[in-house]
């Protein structure tokens, strides 16, 4: 309208993590996929290139809560069947679905994420990586090893990244980037080496508005250091 300044807004993705794709109630799943179809149509009209997604849990009440049955072959097969519908929706609308490996969901490791990607081999199914999501109980001492494995297995298929932090393992982090235990230097070094498909979208979440300036400054400083270290390492080759 007159008097308003027009600015372009780039949408890296829209969130599709609003239902549990392996919910015990088939009707609940069906409603979720109908909403996903509507979201895909809207996202395309907005120019968003991706929809973020999750691989579900056997917990019937909370899609971000772990469950012992998540690690069963039956849960993985159930997830594959449900993901087939999600990938079909993404393909129909030509929008990339980026799922998130997360310790409380069925796909809780980079190795399982690789299995999922290889099962479909679809250009419409890729990964959003979140370094704080990857550590099962007792794995913090192996932080760099876990991150190295994740990027080695998933690197070419990582199309977006999250920036938050964790204060303990065995649980997906939910604090602002730079306020927890994640080795951001190492994480960002890996991100800086990804190819053009990544696109550079690093999305902050799990923080209050008042924390944004500090987290942004932290990430920019760490990213500058990471890029410099990667360049130096390449110069020695």
């Amino acid at each position: 309208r007159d008097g308003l300044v027009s600015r372009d807004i780039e949408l890296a993705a829209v969130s599709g993590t609003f239902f549990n794709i392996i919910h015990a109630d088939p009707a609940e799943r069906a409603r979720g996929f109908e909403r996903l179809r509507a979201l895909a149509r809207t996202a395309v009209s907005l120019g968003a290139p991706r929809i973020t997604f999750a691989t579900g849990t056997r917990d019937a009440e909370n899609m971000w809560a772990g469950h012992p049955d998540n690690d069963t072959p039956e849960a993985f097969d159930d997830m594959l069947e449900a993901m087939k519908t999600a990938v079909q929706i993404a393909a129909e609308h030509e929008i990339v679905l980026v799922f998130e490996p997360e310790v409380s969901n069925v796909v809780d490791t980079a190795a399982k994420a690789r299995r999922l990607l290889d099962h479909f081999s679809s250009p419409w199914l890729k990964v959003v990586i979140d370094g704080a999501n990857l550590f099962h109980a007792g794995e913090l001492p192996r932080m760099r090893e876990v991150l190295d494995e994740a990027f080695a297995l998933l690197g070419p298929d990582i199309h977006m990244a999250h920036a938050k932090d964790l204060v303990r393992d065995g649980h997906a982090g939910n604090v602002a980037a730079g306020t927890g235990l994640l080795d951001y230097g190492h994480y960002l070094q890996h991100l800086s080496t990804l190819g053009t498909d990544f696109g550079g979208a690093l999305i902050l979440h799990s923080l209050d508005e008042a924390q944004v300036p500090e987290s942004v400054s932290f990430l920019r400083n760490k990213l500058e250091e990471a890029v410099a270290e990667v360049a130096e390492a390449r110069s020695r080759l």
Side-chain angles (χ1 to χ4, degrees):
R1 294 179 300 180
D2 292 343
L4 295 180
V5 177
S6 175
R7 293 184 176 89
D8 291 333
I9 298 175
E10 180 180 352
L11 296 177
V14 294
S15 176
T17 55
F18 49 75
F19 75 108
N20 184 354
I21 68 168
I22 60 169
H23 196 284
D25 183 355
E28 183 68 20
R29 296 193 203 186
R31 284 191 292 270
F33 284 121
E34 284 306 308
R35 293 164 66 196
L36 183 63
R37 287 187 176 91
L39 179 66
R41 290 194 297 270
T42 302
V44 170
S45 69
L46 291 172
R50 309 173 190 90
I51 295 175
T52 59
F53 212 57
T55 58
T57 176
R58 288 303 197 202
D59 189 287
E61 303 299 326
N62 181 357
M63 67 176 290
W64 300 111
H67 192 281
D69 290 345
N70 284 353
D71 201 35
T72 63
E74 292 78 11
F76 197 87
D77 289 345
D78 198 7
M79 180 274 300
L80 289 178
E81 186 62 28
M83 193 65 77
K84 180 179 179 180
T85 301
V87 174
Q88 287 173 343
I89 292 170
E92 288 166 7
H93 294 87
E94 297 186 348
I95 190 167
V96 177
L97 198 66
V98 286
F99 71 91
E100 188 171 1
E102 201 263 293
V103 292
S104 296
N105 282 178
V106 171
V107 174
D108 60 344
T109 65
K112 288 182 182 178
R114 186 70 261 160
R115 284 177 58 194
L116 172 54
L117 291 165
D118 291 345
H119 179 84
F120 288 102
S121 296
S122 170
W124 308 112
L125 183 66
K126 299 297 177 180
V127 173
V128 50
I129 193 75
D130 188 329
N133 283 2
L134 300 173
F135 303 98
H136 293 82
E139 289 188 338
L140 276 183
R142 298 176 50 243
M143 180 174 288
R144 290 200 169 198
E145 181 182 344
V146 171
L147 290 172
D148 290 347
E149 179 186 40
F151 281 90
L153 289 173
L154 306 176
D157 291 296
I158 294 173
H159 279 217
M160 200 175 87
H162 282 166
K164 58 179 174 60
D165 223 319
L166 76 165
V167 295
R168 63 181 176 89
D169 51 20
H171 180 269
N174 57 0
V175 297
T179 65
L181 302 174
L182 185 63
D183 185 344
Y184 261 97
H186 202 61
Y187 181 50
L188 294 176
Q189 281 181 35
H190 277 299
L191 287 178
S192 69
T193 64
L194 295 180
T196 55
D197 286 336
F198 170 55
L202 180 61
I203 309 301
L204 279 77
H205 70 100
S206 298
L207 74 171
D208 297 327
E209 185 176 354
Q211 295 176 293
V212 171
E214 185 175 355
S215 280
V216 168
S217 178
F218 168 81
L219 288 170
R220 283 176 173 163
N221 290 336
K222 284 292 184 181
L223 186 57
E224 286 180 5
E225 293 173 3
V227 170
E229 290 180 15
V230 168
E232 182 179 351
R234 285 175 173 169
S235 70
R236 294 196 296 266
L237 295 178

